[in-house]
Amino acid sequence: MSNLMVVGNWKMNGSTELVHSVVACLGERLGRQSCEVVICPPSVYLDQLSAMLRVDAPNIKCGAQNLAAVVDGAQTGEISGRMLAEVGCQYVIVGHSERRQDYGETDEIVAEKFAMAQLAGLIPILCVGESLQEREMGLEELTVKRQLDAVLDFCGSECFKSAVVAYEPVWAIGTGKTASTDQAQAMHKFIRQYIMNKSGLLLEGLKILYGGSVNAGNSSELFSMNDIDGGLVGGASLDAEKFLSICNSVKS
Ligand code: PGA
C-alpha cells in the first residue's frame, strides 16, 4: 500500500445501494499499490458500511463526518465518539467548513470535538482552510494558524501524533476550482512546519490531505507534491469508478 490516504466524504448523499456499489467496486478492484482508503457516509449507513467492509474489503476503513462535542447525555440528535467506534468507525472528520459555516462550529467547538474523537479512540481528520475573502486579503496562513492553535491549545501539543489534517480552501470546495499545486504545496508545508514547531515533535508521518474539487483528472498531480499526502474527496467519491481511480493514484 502506498503512503497516500484518500478519504471519501459523502456529505448528505448516498443510499444503501451506493454503499453496496462502492464496496463491491473497491473491494474487487483496488490495486495493491493503492492509497489507504477511508469512506465517510452519513451516519445512518455506518453500521452497514463497516459490516460490509469487514467481509468484502477489510483494508478499507470506515469514518464518520461529525461527532458530538460531549461524551454523552441529553443531546437530542447527536452521536458520540463511543457510538461511532462501536459501529466500526476508525476515523471522524472534524471541523469541516460546512459545519463551521452552516452549523456555527467555532474553533473552540472544533477543538472539543477533536478531543472527544481521541478520547473515543478515533482518529480525527481535522479540516482547516481559508475563505476566498481571506485568501484575497492574504490572510490564508493566519486563518489556518488560528484553526490549528485552537486544537493545539485545547488538546495539547502532542495531539497531532494521532490525527490527520485536511487543508480545504473553502473557495475550492464543490466549486470545480482547485488550488494550484503550488498554492496547495505551500500551505501543506506551512501546516507541517507549524505543527512540528509548536509541538516540538518530528511528525514526519503526519498525513496532510488536500481537499477541494479533487477528481480523477487532478489527483495524481496534486498527490505528487512533497507535502500532499492524499485527498479528502467530496463529489467525486459518490461515483465508484471515479473514486476508485483517485484511490489508485500514485505519488510520482
Ligand atoms: P468536493 O468536497 O471534493 O466536492 O469539493 C470536498 C470536501 O468538502 O471535503
Side-chain angles (χ1 to χ4, degrees), residues 9 11 96 98 168 172-175 211-214 232-236:
N9 173 13
K11 309 192 180 186
H96 190 280
E98 286 154 14
E168 298 205 304
I173 296 177
T175 56
S213 300
V214 174
L232 177 54
V233 184

Side-chain angles (χ1 to χ4, degrees), residues 13-216:
N13 296 292
S15 57
T16 51
E17 202 184 315
L18 187 66
V19 174
H20 274 280
S21 63
V22 168
V23 173
C25 177
L26 269 66
E28 271 173 29
R29 292 166 53 207
L30 208 53
R32 225 180 279 152
Q33 286 306 309
S34 111
C35 311
E36 185 174 351
V37 178
V38 182
I39 301 174
C40 303
S43 49
V44 288
Y45 302 122
L46 286 170
D47 207 11
Q48 180 202 359
L49 175 66
S50 65
M52 289 189 66
L53 290 178
R54 263 196 301 278
V55 177
D56 295 322
N59 50 347
I60 299 177
K61 314 270 168 42
C62 190
Q65 298 174 17
N66 184 29
L67 82 168
V70 292
V71 177
D72 55 22
Q75 304 283 330
T76 302
E78 290 291 292
I79 297 174
S80 73
R82 178 189 59 77
M83 295 167 188
L84 296 175
E86 198 170 39
V87 295
C89 285
Q90 287 174 263
Y91 291 86
V92 58
I93 298 170
V94 169
H96 190 280
S97 64
E98 286 154 14
R99 305 268 346 148
R100 293 179 189 261
Q101 279 179 347
D102 304 338
Y103 295 91
E105 289 193 9
T106 59
D107 291 335
E108 290 68 34
I109 294 173
V110 172
E112 286 165 10
K113 291 191 172 194
F114 187 103
M116 281 299 128
Q118 291 189 328
L119 187 70
L122 300 168
I123 299 175
I125 301 169
L126 174 71
C127 299
V128 296
E130 80 286 357
S131 66
L132 183 59
Q133 198 188 14
E134 286 162 335
R135 169 135 317 240
E136 282 172 352
M137 291 167 71
L139 298 176
E140 62 274 16
E141 287 189 357
L142 217 61
T143 303
V144 169
K145 179 176 162 313
R146 191 200 73 228
Q147 293 167 334
L148 293 173
D149 278 339
V151 171
L152 283 159
D153 294 345
F154 185 76
C155 303
S157 60
E158 301 208 343
C159 66
F160 282 97
K161 269 181 167 173
S162 177
V164 172
V165 179
Y167 169 57
E168 298 205 304
V170 179
W171 46 273
I173 296 177
T175 56
K177 256 193 227 170
T178 23
S180 70
T181 45
D182 289 342
Q183 280 173 325
Q185 163 57 27
M187 183 57 92
H188 280 234
K189 190 171 176 195
F190 169 78
I191 291 170
R192 194 180 305 282
Q193 283 178 344
Y194 188 75
I195 294 176
M196 290 209 302
N197 286 345
K198 205 158 162 175
S199 67
L201 298 169
L202 196 64
L203 291 168
E204 275 168 347
L206 174 66
K207 286 197 166 50
I208 306 179
L209 313 180
Y210 170 79
S213 300
V214 174
N215 59 46

